[in-house]
Amino acid sequence: MPDTEVHEEFMPESMDDLRGRTPDELRKMAEVLDAHLKSLHQSDEGELRELSADEESAFNLGMQLRNEILDRLDKHTKIAEVFRRRPAVVQQAMANIRYGLDDPAGDTRRLTNSEARDRALRVLDSRDAGDLSAPAKDQVERFARRDHVMARRILVTENEDYRSAWLKMVTDPHPVLTPEENRAVQAWYEFRAMGDWTTTAGGFGIPVFIDPSIILTAQESGNPFLSIARQVTVNTNQWKGVSSAGVTWAFQTEAATATDNSPTLAQPAVLVHMARGFIPFSIEVGQDYPSFASEMSTLLAQGYDELLVDKFTRGSGTNEPKGILTGLSATAGDRVVVTTPGSIVAADPYKLWAALPQKYRRGASWLMSIGVNNAIRQLGAANVFHGYTVNLPAEWADQLFGKAVYESPYMPPTTTWTTTAEGQAIVGDFSNFVVARNGGMSVELIPQLVQQVTAGSGPAVPTGQRGWFAYARIGSDCSNVSGFRLLVHG
């Protein structure tokens, strides 16, 4: 096949590549196909070419695709002419198609999972995602690829009309929305109706590309759990999984009756809880601060992230996520006692690493506080050369036994020993620690904040402030405590 300069993005290979395309994209595809077909049919000198069997097949497919594109463009032209004569119909019909409320091909509720994913990835690659940093874009892409609910949420929230409607509704208690904005908001609420959104149905969802609950790992927030833990999305108040110790095999003699090797199955569950944040602000700030909404998203992200690091580390599991330290401290078989009570010596990292089953060492990571990390860095000495990690100018000992080391400020330091089961360092495969979330973050505007001038003196009076009430539903727990080992005091 002759070399042809074509834009790969607009070179269709099947009829499926034509789905969801705009008229401009179809025109570019037709131009690319014309150039490709001409290169197959004629040489650069204008001579007709003898096609091989593969080239003949490619030529026939290209003609079929070209004819289909032209048919779609012709249909679009005829419909556009009708819309041109009836502006009101145009506005309504285009809104329906854009937000998938009437058109079966565009309805996010009727899209297959792969179609929703592909459309969401195209939105992510568009100019609307231009404000995302590269790490943030990678994070959202991972969510869209593995979670069709997140992909559909991108489709209904990441457009100019929804963003402008969202900004009005979180800053103005009596917003006046355009017809397009109303349709975008309606599409959001219909999307929310797809799943079990009890207790949060009234919230106005933050557009995905600025939602702090979605892209926290890309904001350099220091939350290791959202990088190394297993993350799942649920539509109910809990995630349920399946775990097993595996099937035990055995060698047997010829013609012997086979033993029953059925595995024992368990169903770990992670409950989802509601995290809340509230930001009061004056009416003047809301009116005079052009980037107020985006700045508030940053503030929400900081507070939300700090809460998650705390609870993912040591949360009780009662009305809040269950922390990994909480789960492992309660399991005697996962605890490894330090050699010398009250301190960490060179033998302790070796003991902890050796206690972790081999199958979990392959994907393992370490979690500890800066105090424990500093103690480990000081193990190397003239007579303990094998304990050397990094020199004093280094910020952190970021590897032990070839595995990454992460920090949680809520892990206990070596200088504090309150109980014999207090964990100092964790090593294990964090895919066995599950973070479950129900959707993303939602925000509601409280139009007027009031307070009593003097307690019991009469009705409350306005303060000239409004408030942002934000909430997100998330939970965590160990799905398999055997995948970790915890270094403890004694």
Side-chain angles (χ1 to χ4, degrees):
M1 185 180 294
D3 292 334
T4 309
E5 293 185 1
V6 297
H7 197 302
E8 293 184 1
E9 179 183 358
F10 297 108
M11 185 61 189
E13 297 180 355
S14 67
M15 292 296 179
D16 287 340
D17 292 338
L18 307 183
R19 300 184 66 177
R21 296 287 185 169
T22 65
D24 286 342
E25 289 174 335
L26 290 175
R27 293 188 187 95
K28 291 178 182 178
M29 283 184 166
E31 293 174 0
V32 170
L33 275 173
D34 285 346
H36 179 59
L37 293 172
K38 183 177 180 181
S39 69
L40 288 173
H41 182 61
Q42 288 181 295
S43 66
D44 293 340
E45 292 76 24
E47 299 175 352
L48 298 182
R49 299 181 63 254
E50 293 293 333
L51 302 183
S52 66
D54 289 342
E55 290 175 332
E56 185 74 31
S57 177
F59 184 85
N60 292 336
L61 175 61
M63 289 297 296
Q64 293 176 8
L65 293 171
R66 182 179 184 278
N67 290 336
E68 178 64 22
I69 290 173
L70 294 180
D71 286 345
R72 295 188 182 200
L73 289 175
D74 182 60
K75 181 179 179 180
H76 166 71
T77 300
K78 293 177 180 178
I79 294 176
E81 177 62 21
V82 174
F83 285 174
R84 185 185 65 80
R85 296 175 180 177
R86 300 177 64 188
V89 174
V90 174
Q91 188 178 66
Q92 186 66 46
M94 292 305 291
N96 292 345
I97 293 172
R98 182 173 188 180
Y99 304 117
L101 298 178
D102 294 329
D103 178 25
D107 193 333
T108 57
R109 295 166 297 180
R110 299 177 186 176
L111 292 175
T112 65
N113 291 346
S114 59
E115 289 172 339
R117 178 201 63 208
D118 292 344
R119 292 194 184 191
L121 292 176
R122 282 204 292 273
V123 173
L124 183 61
D125 288 335
S126 72
R127 62 179 178 84
D128 292 334
D131 293 335
L132 286 177
S133 65
K137 196 169 185 178
D138 291 341
Q139 171 73 359
V140 176
E141 181 177 346
R142 284 194 293 271
F143 270 113
R145 287 187 180 278
R146 69 190 183 197
D147 181 0
H148 71 90
V149 175
M150 188 59 62
R152 296 171 201 273
R153 185 182 173 198
I154 290 174
L155 294 179
V156 297
T157 66
E158 283 306 330
N159 55 76
E160 292 179 3
D161 293 330
Y162 183 84
R163 277 182 172 249
S164 62
W166 176 79
L167 182 60
K168 289 179 181 179
M169 294 185 74
V170 297
T171 55
D172 187 344
H174 304 290
V176 178
L177 304 182
T178 66
E180 294 81 8
E181 290 169 344
N182 271 313
R183 296 296 291 176
V185 173
Q186 181 180 344
W188 159 255
Y189 284 123
E190 292 195 6
F191 161 75
R192 293 297 295 265
M194 290 170 59
D196 175 14
W197 304 100
T198 56
T199 75
T200 62
F204 200 56
I206 301 177
V208 171
F209 295 166
I210 60 173
D211 188 338
S213 66
I214 302 302
I215 57 174
L216 274 174
T217 59
Q219 295 176 338
E220 300 179 355
S221 56
N223 189 337
F225 295 95
L226 297 183
S227 298
I228 59 178
R230 178 184 177 187
Q231 297 192 61
V232 297
T233 300
V234 296
N235 290 337
T236 61
N237 66 345
Q238 66 178 319
W239 169 85
K240 291 184 177 180
V242 177
S243 64
S244 169
V247 176
T248 302
W249 283 50
F251 286 101
Q252 296 178 303
T253 59
E254 182 178 355
T257 302
T259 57
D260 185 354
N261 301 128
S262 300
T264 300
L265 301 180
Q267 189 174 58
V270 177
L271 295 177
V272 175
H273 308 277
M274 181 182 285
R276 301 174 178 178
F278 181 67
I279 300 179
F281 61 93
S282 68
I283 294 176
E284 292 86 349
V285 168
Q287 292 176 335
D288 300 338
Y289 198 169
S291 58
F292 172 74
S294 61
E295 291 296 332
M296 291 304 100
S297 294
T298 300
L299 291 178
L300 287 173
Q302 293 172 351
Y304 182 63
D305 190 41
E306 191 68 24
L307 177 68
L308 292 187
V309 178
D310 183 0
K311 299 309 177 184
F312 290 166
T313 303
R314 59 183 185 179
S316 67
T318 302
N319 298 324
E320 64 183 26
K322 189 173 185 179
I324 188 169
L325 194 58
T326 305
L328 298 182
S329 297
T331 308
D334 293 330
R335 300 199 294 261
V336 177
V337 181
V338 296
T339 304
T340 304
S343 65
I344 291 179
V345 299
D348 293 330
Y350 291 96
K351 288 177 62 177
L352 191 62
W353 180 247
L356 183 68
Q358 187 269 342
K359 64 180 179 179
Y360 300 119
R361 292 202 296 265
R362 286 171 289 186
S365 301
W366 294 75
L367 184 72
M368 60 188 64
S369 67
I370 184 66
V372 173
N373 194 267
N374 284 342
I376 292 175
R377 291 175 64 179
Q378 297 175 63
L379 295 178
N383 59 342
V384 193
F385 293 113
H386 62 87
Y388 170 77
T389 53
V390 293
N391 286 319
L392 183 61
E395 179 181 5
W396 175 265
D398 57 5
Q399 275 202 347
L400 291 175
F401 298 94
K403 305 301 180 182
V405 182
Y406 295 92
E407 178 188 2
S408 169
Y410 298 98
M411 288 288 290
T414 55
T415 56
T416 303
W417 307 88
T418 58
T419 65
T420 58
E422 184 175 40
Q424 301 300 299
I426 296 172
V427 64
D429 186 344
F430 278 78
S431 65
N432 295 293
F433 184 74
V434 177
V435 173
R437 70 179 78 223
N438 187 325
M441 184 178 291
S442 296
V443 167
E444 294 184 16
L445 177 67
I446 310 300
Q448 286 288 347
L449 301 185
V450 297
Q451 69 178 25
Q452 287 184 320
V453 178
T454 303
S457 63
V461 296
T463 65
Q465 292 178 298
R466 309 194 196 285
W468 263 23
F469 178 61
Y471 48 86
R473 300 179 67 196
I474 193 166
S476 66
D477 199 352
C478 289
S479 60
N480 175 23
V481 293
S482 299
F484 302 93
R485 289 296 181 268
L486 175 68
L487 187 66
V488 299
H489 167 53

